[in-house]
Amino acid sequence: MTSDLLAPLDLAFWNIESTEHPMHLGALGVFAATSPTAGALAADLLAARAAGVPGLRMRIRDVWLPDLRLPLAVGGATREPADDFDPFEHVRLHAPATDFHAVAGPLMERPLRRGRPPWEAHVLPGADGVSFAVLFKFHHALADGLRALTLAAGIMDPMELPEPRPRRAEPPRGLLPDVRRLPELLRGALSDVGRALDIGASVARSTLNTRSTVALTSEPTGTRSTAGVVVDLDDVHRVRKTVGGTVNDVLIAIVAGALRRWLDERGDGSEGVAPRALIPVSKRRPRTAYPQGNRLSGYLIRLPVDDPDPLGRLRTVRAAMDRNKDAGPNRGAGAVALLADHVPALGHRLGGPLVSQAARLWFDILVTSVPLPSLGLRLGGCPLTEVYPLAPLARGQSLAVAVSTYRGGVHYGLVADAQAVPDLDSLAKAVEREVEELLAACGP
């Protein structure tokens, strides 16, 4: 294995991290245990298999000295194999638990060790003896959602996965560009500047005329709590077929309605509340220059929390998503992540702390979809029955929502600042009630 330079967005995630806001994503998987010792056996199995997955032994190394092989890497970072990799340092067996989410929250608080490969697997045996859970944590600089799924699948029971497409080898590049390409490069640079200005203006406009709520934005405490809820995918399809739009439109509208119900019940009130939601959009391509790196853009929409009509909320979300799709992922405030590609490595290093504080000015809540295979997953022969994706929490924000579809169910994973949102379970219940309200509004 050889080292490779972190993609610009990966480098941004690496540098905006702080103790209070670690930039790792997670997934809490619940398995049906075939024996009371299934959790302990799963921990041993995960550690043994991790040794054979090359991507799990990669660490992040900061680059400070010039290197002729990586002339633009000063101030950046690379992924490189860790010679002293010990998988048993990354897989931990915990005491039996009665509430997996109660244990997962404090574990999500802890930053990953930066001198080691930035991932962990925490095995939580169930006190009932018939289940166990595994909390996977991957730093965003090591893997995005799709890459994290690939790495996790490498230590699960063998399954049939499609063969990766071969990637065309990139020709070696010198320190200076080919002079014959200067006109093309100049046109591209001017286009990039124009797009950057357009995105910047969109970000500025998005911060205007919005009532904020302390339930979604707060001073960081560094604490974390998690919760999860599963809704029937057939119910989601029924709503979609009745009203139109996409499954994702319905899933986002469910979040808007759940927030409305939750805010009203806790006494904060939903009147006039239209929080800005960032909807990440993957731009990963098989032959990109950074095959393992994050390539993200995003759509920015206002969640119609203040609309009392559940079908009206869905229509508003659908219209907003259609407008974003028409504009494309390269334009608008949600595409601000693409600006990372045009910042030199040293700029990320010096500007990371400032950028981390700007997130609450840009969006109020993250609502992201994490893909999962349709085939059932197993670990040590134990079937995976539930899986809750867990997104990182940006500085100044109290809540993030991630959604995955698996085996006929839609799994909502909620992550919150535990002190700012002590009633996260109430929001999970509000998700269930919102689905019921949508179904009732659709009629028999």
Side-chain angles (χ1 to χ4, degrees), residues 285-300:
R285 292 178 298 181
R287 292 178 176 144
T288 182
Y290 301 99
Q292 297 182 5
N294 282 285
R295 293 289 299 164
L296 292 174
S297 179
Y299 297 146
L300 200 66

Side-chain angles (χ1 to χ4, degrees), residues 54-56 58 138 142-152 284 292:
L56 293 178
M58 301 296 281
F138 294 95
L142 178 70
D144 60 6
L146 185 58
R147 175 67 176 165
L149 171 63
T150 303
L151 292 175
R284 180 191 290 273
Q292 297 182 5

Side-chain angles (χ1 to χ4, degrees), residues 7-10 12 295 335-345 348:
L9 190 54
D10 295 339
R295 293 289 299 164
V336 70
L338 297 178
L339 299 181
D341 292 345
H342 309 292
V343 177
H348 284 293

Side-chain angles (χ1 to χ4, degrees), residues 206-292:
S206 73
T207 63
L208 301 175
N209 301 322
T210 302
R211 179 195 154 190
S212 184
T213 170
V214 294
L216 299 180
T217 57
S218 66
E219 291 303 316
T221 69
T223 60
R224 293 291 181 273
S225 61
T226 74
V229 61
V230 183
V231 300
D232 195 320
L233 181 58
D234 286 342
D235 289 341
V236 174
H237 278 300
R238 178 183 163 192
V239 174
R240 179 191 61 80
K241 291 176 181 177
T242 302
V243 181
T246 68
V247 166
N248 201 42
D249 294 341
V250 178
L251 300 182
I252 296 170
I254 289 172
V255 173
L259 287 173
R260 175 184 173 82
R261 183 184 302 273
W262 177 64
L263 290 173
D264 287 341
E265 289 178 352
R266 75 197 314 254
D268 289 335
S270 59
E271 183 178 355
V273 175
R276 297 155 298 182
L278 176 65
I279 316 295
V281 177
S282 175
K283 287 177 61 65
R284 180 191 290 273
R285 292 178 298 181
R287 292 178 176 144
T288 182
Y290 301 99
Q292 297 182 5

Side-chain angles (χ1 to χ4, degrees), residues 259-428:
L259 287 173
R260 175 184 173 82
R261 183 184 302 273
W262 177 64
L263 290 173
D264 287 341
E265 289 178 352
R266 75 197 314 254
D268 289 335
S270 59
E271 183 178 355
V273 175
R276 297 155 298 182
L278 176 65
I279 316 295
V281 177
S282 175
K283 287 177 61 65
R284 180 191 290 273
R285 292 178 298 181
R287 292 178 176 144
T288 182
Y290 301 99
Q292 297 182 5
N294 282 285
R295 293 289 299 164
L296 292 174
S297 179
Y299 297 146
L300 200 66
I301 72 170
R302 293 190 186 277
L303 296 180
V305 172
D306 56 350
D307 187 341
D309 178 13
L311 297 185
R313 291 192 292 268
L314 176 52
R315 285 190 289 267
T316 299
V317 167
R318 178 184 176 186
M321 290 296 288
D322 286 346
R323 287 193 298 270
N324 275 293
K325 292 171 187 174
D326 289 342
N330 293 328
R331 302 183 67 85
V336 70
L338 297 178
L339 299 181
D341 292 345
H342 309 292
V343 177
L346 194 58
H348 284 293
R349 175 74 62 182
L350 299 177
L354 294 176
V355 172
S356 68
Q357 299 183 43
R360 77 187 293 178
L361 300 176
W362 173 29
F363 63 97
D364 300 304
I365 184 173
L366 176 73
V367 182
T368 184
S369 177
V370 181
L372 286 178
S374 58
L375 299 176
L377 299 174
R378 292 177 176 269
L379 179 57
C382 300
L384 177 67
T385 58
E386 305 168 38
V387 56
Y388 302 100
L390 304 172
L393 201 58
R395 182 178 179 86
Q397 294 168 346
S398 302
L399 179 66
V401 180
V403 190
S404 286
T405 300
Y406 177 72
R407 305 289 284 178
V410 178
H411 294 67
Y412 282 85
L414 312 178
V415 177
D417 184 297
Q419 291 189 24
V421 185
D423 55 344
L424 189 60
D425 287 340
S426 296
L427 178 58

Side-chain angles (χ1 to χ4, degrees), residues 72-257:
L72 300 179
V74 176
T78 62
R79 294 187 195 88
E80 62 179 27
D83 295 333
D84 57 349
F85 173 63
D86 181 356
F88 288 91
E89 292 184 355
H90 297 262
V91 180
R92 301 170 189 176
L93 178 64
H94 294 257
T98 57
D99 183 342
F100 296 137
H101 280 286
V103 181
L107 291 175
M108 286 294 290
E109 292 177 13
R110 306 176 188 175
L112 296 165
R113 291 186 294 173
R114 292 173 76 90
R116 299 289 185 182
W119 69 274
E120 292 175 353
H122 297 269
V123 181
L124 315 175
D128 56 10
V130 298
S131 64
F132 68 90
V134 179
L135 173 65
F136 288 104
K137 294 168 57 178
F138 294 95
H139 197 286
H140 227 313
L142 178 70
D144 60 6
L146 185 58
R147 175 67 176 165
L149 171 63
T150 303
L151 292 175
I155 49 180
M156 303 287 280
D157 289 356
M159 59 179 292
E160 295 295 329
L161 292 175
E163 291 294 326
R165 291 176 56 185
R167 185 167 60 92
R168 184 180 61 189
E170 295 287 338
R173 292 183 294 179
L175 299 182
L176 296 176
D178 186 338
V179 295
R180 293 170 296 182
R181 296 189 61 227
L182 286 178
E184 173 190 344
L185 293 172
L186 180 59
R187 285 194 300 270
L190 292 174
S191 175
D192 289 345
V193 170
R195 186 165 62 217
L197 292 174
D198 179 57
I199 293 172
S202 297
V203 172
R205 288 193 298 270
S206 73
T207 63
L208 301 175
N209 301 322
T210 302
R211 179 195 154 190
S212 184
T213 170
V214 294
L216 299 180
T217 57
S218 66
E219 291 303 316
T221 69
T223 60
R224 293 291 181 273
S225 61
T226 74
V229 61
V230 183
V231 300
D232 195 320
L233 181 58
D234 286 342
D235 289 341
V236 174
H237 278 300
R238 178 183 163 192
V239 174
R240 179 191 61 80
K241 291 176 181 177
T242 302
V243 181
T246 68
V247 166
N248 201 42
D249 294 341
V250 178
L251 300 182
I252 296 170
I254 289 172
V255 173

